[in-house]
Amino acid sequence: MIDKIDKKELERLADEQLELGKKSLLDHDYTQAEFYVKESLKNLKEAGCIEKYVKTLNILGIVYAIESDEGKAFDCYLESLANAEVMDSKYLKAMTYSNIGSCYQKMGRTGEAMKYYEDAKKELADPTVKEQESYEIWNMLNLINIKGASEQKESSSDVKIDKNSVILV
């Protein structure tokens, strides 16, 4: 069993690795981003930092989605969602629903994307959600973007996601 000092050290190391992963992601070095985020996840899991683990799983899902590996992205999001459900965290569920929506949007599956953005919106409507402002705005912009794109042309190739469409936690 890990003592408190080891847990704090693992958490600190995980935070450093996550920051390196985010930097690599923003630098478009997805191989390095994947490496650092996975290392962060290992340490967070061992330290028992479940909330950070769920947020970091979402970031790994974003890396996979950007690399067009939707299968791995969905695996990350489903694990995140399962943990968020157990934790009963509306904020984490909303974050994950939004990322699932972004993944579907990238795939050109507008209907599915809108469903998940609406699910995120419902989770954020709960008054107990404290971190809701930034995700409300982001989720609303995604809904507007999708509705606007689908009104312009009902072609799946017109709806795209890029690195600026996601918020890193």
Side-chain angles (χ1 to χ4, degrees):
M1 179 152 220
I2 301 172
D3 61 30
K4 285 185 179 184
I5 295 172
D6 289 338
K7 283 185 178 185
K8 286 290 183 192
E9 181 59 24
L10 281 172
E11 185 177 0
R12 186 196 62 72
L13 180 58
D15 290 345
E16 287 178 8
Q17 292 164 328
L18 181 58
E19 287 307 310
L20 290 169
K22 287 179 182 180
K23 182 183 180 319
S24 296
L25 181 60
L26 294 174
D27 291 341
H28 307 279
D29 187 348
Y30 306 123
T31 302
Q32 278 298 112
E34 180 181 352
F35 171 78
Y36 284 123
V37 173
K38 283 182 171 180
E39 289 300 308
S40 178
L41 283 168
K42 287 181 200 172
N43 288 320
L44 290 169
K45 190 172 193 172
E46 190 172 340
C49 301
I50 304 304
E51 183 175 346
K52 283 185 178 182
Y53 180 81
V54 172
K55 289 178 181 180
T56 305
L57 263 175
N58 270 276
I59 294 171
L60 183 58
I62 291 167
V63 172
Y64 288 139
I66 290 171
E67 292 181 307
S68 295
D69 194 340
E70 286 83 8
K72 286 183 181 178
F74 282 121
D75 287 345
C76 290
Y77 299 145
L78 292 175
E79 184 179 345
S80 293
L81 197 53
N83 281 294
E85 288 283 343
V86 169
M87 296 169 62
D88 195 31
S89 172
K90 294 185 180 303
Y91 162 67
L92 293 174
K93 285 192 280 187
M95 177 195 316
T96 306
Y97 285 144
S98 287
N99 285 331
I100 292 170
S102 292
C103 202
Y104 276 124
Q105 179 181 352
K106 180 181 183 233
M107 295 166 60
R109 295 171 64 178
T110 307
E112 288 98 331
M114 287 185 66
K115 179 217 175 289
Y116 282 97
Y117 291 138
E118 290 294 336
D119 288 345
K121 184 178 173 183
K122 288 176 191 170
E123 293 296 333
L124 292 171
D126 189 299
T128 62
V129 179
K130 295 178 183 147
E131 299 92 348
Q132 98 185 51
E133 288 84 12
S134 63
Y135 276 96
E136 268 185 334
I137 293 166
W138 180 76
N139 195 52
M140 183 175 61
L141 290 173
N142 273 318
L143 284 169
I144 291 167
N145 182 37
I146 283 184
K147 287 178 182 174
S150 64
E151 287 171 4
Q152 286 177 2
K153 188 174 182 186
E154 195 56 42
S155 169
S156 64
S157 63
D158 287 347
V159 182
K160 301 290 182 203
I161 186 173
D162 60 25
K163 70 176 181 66
N164 297 318
S165 298
V166 290
I167 292 178
L168 298 177
V169 291

